Structure formats: C-alpha cells, structure tokens
Amino acid sequence: CATLGKWKVPKVFLHQTKNSTLWVSNPVRIPTHVEDIFYKYAICRRENKWFRKGKLVVDYFEGVGGERTNRKMEFLENHYDLWQDNYNMKLNMRALKNDFQFVKSIYDNIKGIETLKDRIMEYQYIARQYKDLTNSATNINFIQNKLASSVSKEQRLFLCILLGSYMLQPNKPMINGCYLPQNFPSTNLLEDLESIDSDFSLSDTRHLVSHAIRALVQHNSKYGFTTWFKMFTLAPILDESYAFIDAIEVYNFERRSDQFLNALGDN
C-alpha cells in the first residue's frame, strides 16, 4: 500500500490462524484524509534466508496485470479478501470450499448487541462477494453446532439470520419431511425472537428472518412443541403477512391436550 509506505516494502503482515485457511492482521490505522487508497497482497521473504531478522523483500504480488489488479480500500471495520491468482500461486478452491472461514470469523466477533448489526452487514457483504463459498459455509451443521455452544442471545440471533439464508439455498436435504433435523433447538431460537426489536426486523434482513421463522415453526410444530404459538403475538413485528401459518405441521395432541390448551392460553 503506497499510502502506508513504498509498494516494495512490506508494511502490514498477516498470520495464519491455527489449522485453517484464514490469515489475519493486527488492527491497522488508515489515514482518512487520503481520497483513494490502493493496496495489494504479496508473498514476502527474508533477503537472506540464513538471518531471521534480515530485511524483508517482496517475492511477488497477487494478481496478473500489474496496477490493474490493485485493490481500492473500502472503509470498513474488517476486510474479507481472497488472494488473486497469479502465475506463482493459485487458490485451491476445493479446499477453500470445505474450509471457508469468513462466516466463522464474523460469528466469533459478535461481542454484544452493539456489534450484531455490523456483523450481519459483514455477512451480507461476503454473501454478495463470494456467494458460493458463503453458501457452503452456511450449512445446517455449522448453525446447529454454534447454537449448541452459543453464549449470548446476539449470537443466536445472528444464527437465525444464517438459518434464513440457508433456507434460501436450492437443493436443501429434507429429513422426515422437514428441513431441520429432529434434534434442532427450534424452541430456543423461537424464544430468542421475542427480543428482536422493530428496527432490527424492518432492516434488509426481514426476508431472512421470515424464512428462518417458517423453518422453525415447521420443525417446532411437527415434533409436538408449542413454542411456535408465540408467533401469533410476534407476527405484527416479524411476519406481517403471517406466512408462518403455511409452515405449521399437524401434530396429534390427544395424549397431551393439557399442554396444547396451556399454550393457547399463554399466547
């Protein structure tokens, strides 16, 4: 990056996260008075391989075509870039599809309600930039595993957005006529939806929340739970068209009539 120094002098260094394809840098301060900032990734080495603290030199830059492949800086809190292939090094897309770490990295950076919307925007950004890779990482196993280990309501709400995105993917497998496995914690997610405020639901995530709700209602009703009844109260905020009704599965409450009547009374 010429703004941070000379092109041939490495300035910002990346380190690989353990056992993954993800490389990250420490936070970098970028001057805001410069109108356009361009940067590029490069492979570097010590000028003399026998000295660990010797001068660093650039072996080669990413991309083919010189300045035409320079990246223009976007003023975002976090950047999610993929290496641009050149004659020396190309991405292994098959390996990357099985280990696309951007979704996990975004999830791990949810620190509370004040960061939730930023992380959702980052997810939407990578979904636009790397649609197929993001879809491969947004799978039901990832969502369910993270739900099991989640420690905050904000993390679970983010996973609800991911579930909505997953439901929009084509060719999803069905298990016993349901898109979610039987042990999926639909009750917990439906309860968390009670804490979504109207500003959140009216953002451009509304359609994702709606698709997630349908999947949760189908699962919750199919396996004899009654938490989905809450949606009649929440629908004016989360699902104004009451589309979730079409996802309700019939369950025989003959032996659990008290539970059914209590659920009706509570909602």
Side-chain angles (χ1 to χ4, degrees), residues 105 117 177 197 221:
S105 177
K117 289 186 178 181
D197 60 36
S221 58

Side-chain angles (χ1 to χ4, degrees), residues 21 92-101 132-133 136-137 139:
T21 58
N92 184 333
M93 295 305 294
R94 179 177 296 181
L96 187 60
K97 189 172 183 179
N98 293 326
D99 187 33
F100 186 64
Q101 291 289 313
D132 291 342
L133 291 171
S136 70
N139 57 71

Side-chain angles (χ1 to χ4, degrees), residues 175-242:
I175 304 171
N176 192 25
C178 188
Y179 287 113
L180 305 181
Q182 185 170 352
N183 62 343
F184 192 89
S186 59
T187 292
N188 296 343
L189 266 187
L190 285 169
E191 289 175 345
D192 284 327
L193 287 175
E194 289 186 280
S195 62
I196 293 183
D197 60 36
S198 58
D199 290 337
F200 182 92
S201 65
L202 292 175
S203 69
D204 57 359
T205 59
R206 174 193 289 273
H207 67 295
L208 298 179
V209 174
S210 178
H211 282 282
I213 286 172
R214 292 179 213 176
L216 294 170
V217 167
Q218 182 199 30
H219 178 275
N220 205 252
S221 58
K222 181 179 182 66
Y223 292 108
F225 300 103
T226 56
T227 314
W228 63 270
F229 279 42
K230 294 178 181 291
M231 283 310 306
F232 287 103
T233 302
L234 299 175
I237 297 175
L238 302 177
D239 187 9
E240 292 178 341
S241 65
Y242 287 77

